[in-house]
Amino acid sequence: MRHYGFSVGRLPSGSQNCITDVTGVRVGHITLKEADQGVCTGVTAILPHDKNPFLEKTTAVSHVINGFSKTTGLIQVDELGVLESPILLTNTFGVPAVTEGALQWLMEKKPEIGDTDSTVNIVTAECNDGWLNDLRGLHLHPDHAIQAIQQAEKNQLSEEGAIGAGAGMISYGWKGGIGTASRRLQRNDLVGYIEAMVLTNFGKPEELTILGVPMNHLKKKPTQPSRDGSVIVILATDLPFSSRQLKRLAKRTPFGLARTGSMAHHGSGEIVIAFSNAERKPHRPTASVLSSKQIAEDGPLMTECFQAVVEATEEAVYNSLFAAETTFGRNGRYIEALPHHQVIQRLKQAKDRL
């Protein structure tokens, strides 16, 4: 959307306006599209840093806005306050295979896992791409998750749109998928980033709002019947937050989603996973007491961090829509891309009226 001269909010973005503005964070995608075979799905992998996530754990938390979702690993994340695996995104029926693939990748990196060492907690989240994709075909296999993680190890920037886990997703009746955005925060000698990545598969056409402008009654009509859908939000930061503070950040994502028109339908799964790679926790601490830093909550910085979450989440949703292209799936079905020129025209008209 920035290509058209429209930005979101007041805080500056990072240089890439992407989740990878946080040093060490990497994202990889594997996309499967064979419309004649009913395949339109994929896997997205997010690495929290460039080392072994099992040996160097990151502070993390999850937050459930509406729990109509199938995930793995979030109970332990909330109990212990750490993430020790890549985060995997996929379709609803792909969760078991994708989780197995991530487990295989980690066991290869650390053969002691599950034997002379502890087990490992894999975090996987999903949205239902069953309108375009043949869910019952179980087209995703563990190798696809491994390939997505390997792609993440090499990538410096995340692609957006109908890619990876977003291949078959639909948002507000238009083609959705993967979107990401970042915000840069600076106060005195402290510089840090808060980023959002979303997997958008939620909302009805009449609900879509962009920069406060309703986008109902666009000339093109969505080709997919209305349904509740889901959205997964990943928050990443290099600022030193405790897990309790990350929970406070995660609780602000609904405000960003609401700006786009979301109201969390009954059958919609809205899940937030937030992590900070500022200070990593060793798998086997050598001391009985660990010390760590965290930002001071009194003063304006914490409020700016909340603002960054809201703005980055909102823009990430828009980016998922603007980056996605018209996509064909099973049974001759297709979902059209958001008609950019109509949206921009409405935004310009609204701006002129101010």
Side-chain angles (χ1 to χ4, degrees):
M1 198 167 68
R2 289 174 180 257
H3 297 304
Y4 296 97
F6 290 92
S7 59
V8 178
R10 299 188 300 275
L11 294 175
S13 68
S15 60
Q16 302 178 107
N17 194 29
C18 178
I19 193 171
T20 55
D21 279 325
V22 171
T23 301
V25 174
R26 295 290 180 264
V27 179
H29 308 279
I30 292 296
T31 306
L32 305 182
K33 287 185 180 179
E34 298 178 44
D36 58 337
Q37 301 296 316
V39 182
C40 187
T41 193
V43 182
T44 293
I46 300 103
L47 294 174
H49 53 71
D50 56 3
K51 304 297 182 182
N52 187 325
F54 178 71
L55 297 179
E56 298 185 32
K57 308 178 196 301
T58 47
T59 306
V61 72
S62 72
H63 175 61
V64 178
I65 302 169
N66 194 59
F68 205 106
S69 183
K70 293 80 180 166
T71 60
T72 68
L74 299 189
I75 292 175
Q76 182 171 313
V77 167
D78 280 347
E79 182 70 21
L80 302 183
V82 295
L83 174 69
E84 60 182 19
S85 79
I87 298 171
L88 284 301
L89 306 178
T90 189
N91 75 52
T92 306
F93 285 3
V95 170
V98 168
T99 301
E100 181 180 344
L103 177 59
Q104 290 178 0
W105 180 80
L106 279 166
M107 288 194 299
E108 183 176 343
K109 292 181 75 70
K110 187 75 165 60
E112 297 84 358
I113 288 175
D115 185 9
T116 58
D117 209 335
S118 63
T119 59
V120 63
N121 184 54
I122 308 295
V123 173
T124 308
E126 56 77 31
C127 290
N128 186 338
D129 60 11
W131 202 79
L132 287 175
N133 176 56
D134 170 27
L135 278 173
R136 291 175 58 85
L138 302 178
H139 302 289
L140 290 171
H141 305 292
D143 281 350
H144 293 126
I146 295 172
Q147 292 168 28
I149 295 170
Q150 290 171 341
Q151 285 294 322
E153 291 179 298
K154 298 183 291 186
N155 287 349
Q156 299 294 316
L157 183 69
S158 175
E159 298 176 76
E160 296 178 299
I163 189 169
M169 302 303 172
I170 304 162
S171 193
Y172 293 113
W174 306 101
K175 188 66 190 76
I178 296 291
T180 181
S182 71
R183 292 296 181 269
R184 183 178 187 271
L185 296 161
Q186 181 170 4
R187 184 160 294 276
N188 299 324
D189 59 346
L190 177 68
V191 178
Y193 296 87
I194 292 177
E195 280 83 38
M197 170 170 280
V198 295
L199 177 61
T200 58
N201 193 52
F202 70 105
K204 297 181 178 180
E206 62 271 20
E207 296 170 341
L208 178 59
T209 302
I210 297 180
L211 296 179
V213 181
M215 292 295 161
N216 56 331
H217 306 304
L218 293 171
K219 290 181 181 179
K220 288 185 177 181
K221 299 297 181 183
T223 54
Q224 171 254 354
S226 294
R227 59 178 187 173
D228 290 349
S230 295
V231 59
I232 306 297
V233 183
I234 308 298
L235 293 179
T237 181
D238 54 5
L239 291 169
F241 291 104
S242 67
S243 59
R244 179 189 60 78
Q245 290 176 320
L246 284 175
K247 177 75 82 169
R248 298 191 72 201
L249 294 183
K251 288 179 178 179
R252 268 62 186 183
T253 58
F255 295 99
L257 295 174
R259 288 182 177 184
T260 73
S262 172
M263 47 78 71
H265 292 268
H266 159 71
S268 183
E270 282 87 4
I271 307 294
V272 186
I273 304 167
F275 68 87
S276 166
N277 65 11
E279 295 195 333
R280 303 168 196 173
K281 310 292 193 302
H283 176 59
R284 295 294 183 194
T286 57
S288 299
V289 177
L290 297 177
S291 61
S292 61
K293 297 178 181 179
Q294 67 179 50
I295 69 165
E297 290 177 271
D298 290 334
L301 179 57
M302 197 66 175
T303 296
E304 285 188 10
C305 292
F306 293 160
Q307 181 181 349
V309 169
V310 175
E311 291 184 7
T313 301
E314 178 187 7
E315 184 172 8
V317 172
Y318 299 152
N319 288 344
S320 76
L321 289 163
F322 273 80
E325 69 277 2
T326 297
T327 301
F328 290 81
R330 68 187 182 103
N331 299 332
R333 296 173 178 175
Y334 67 96
I335 297 295
E336 290 192 71
L338 184 73
H340 299 182
H341 64 286
Q342 292 185 46
V343 171
I344 296 304
Q345 184 179 28
R346 285 198 182 184
L347 293 177
K348 289 180 177 178
Q349 290 172 347
K351 186 177 181 180
D352 292 340
R353 288 195 295 269
L354 294 178

